[in-house]
């Protein structure tokens, strides 16, 4: 499952770590995300390094910079926010580029 906070408090450009996408493993087995990619509807791409999500656990991918951990990853995009505030799509692609899950959102919907 994917949850997204696209509109950070204040100016998104100045508060990049208040913008994030969270990926939850609702299955019964661990999911190895090594080499998997997160993509938006535009050109933005993030590729996970070595990471597995255990059943019932989540990993949150923040737009800004920080220290990666088992539950938090940081895109470290310094130029701009990633997720459009009004509408966008969060796609999770496996290591072969096949879409595993996606989440479309639009304000007011």
């Amino acid at each position: 499952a994917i949850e997204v906070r696209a509109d950070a408090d204040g100016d998104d450009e100045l508060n990049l770590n208040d913008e994030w996408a969270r990926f939850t493993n609702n299955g019964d087995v661990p999911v190895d995300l090594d080499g998997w990619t997160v993509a938006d509807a535009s050109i933005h791409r993030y590729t996970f390094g070595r990471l597995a999500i255990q059943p019932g656990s989540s990993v949150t991918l923040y737009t800004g910079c920080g220290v990666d951990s088992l539950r938090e990853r940081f895109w470290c995009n310094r130029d701009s926010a990633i997720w459009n505030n009004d509408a966008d799509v969060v796609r999770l692609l496996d290591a072969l580029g096949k879409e595993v899950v996606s989440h479309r959102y639009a304000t007011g919907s």
Side-chain angles (χ1 to χ4, degrees), residues 7-50:
D7 190 4
D9 288 340
D11 184 338
D12 290 12
E13 308 293 321
L14 301 175
N15 194 12
L16 293 175
N17 281 336
D18 197 34
E19 178 186 89
W20 47 261
R22 180 171 296 134
F23 304 90
T24 301
N25 179 356
N26 291 328
D28 297 328
V29 297
V31 175
D32 183 358
L33 295 180
D34 189 16
W36 287 31
T37 300
V38 177
D40 70 348
S42 182
I43 62 168
H44 300 106
R45 302 289 181 268
Y46 171 87
T47 301
F48 283 104
R50 190 168 171 224

Side-chain angles (χ1 to χ4, degrees), residues 52-82:
I53 304 178
Q54 298 302 314
S57 293
S58 301
V59 62
T60 303
L61 176 60
Y62 296 94
T63 297
C65 298
V67 178
D68 288 346
S69 69
L70 292 177
R71 298 216 179 232
E72 297 180 320
R73 293 294 162 120
F74 294 86
W75 197 308
C76 207
N77 192 57
R78 298 176 191 270
D79 299 329
S80 67
I82 300 293

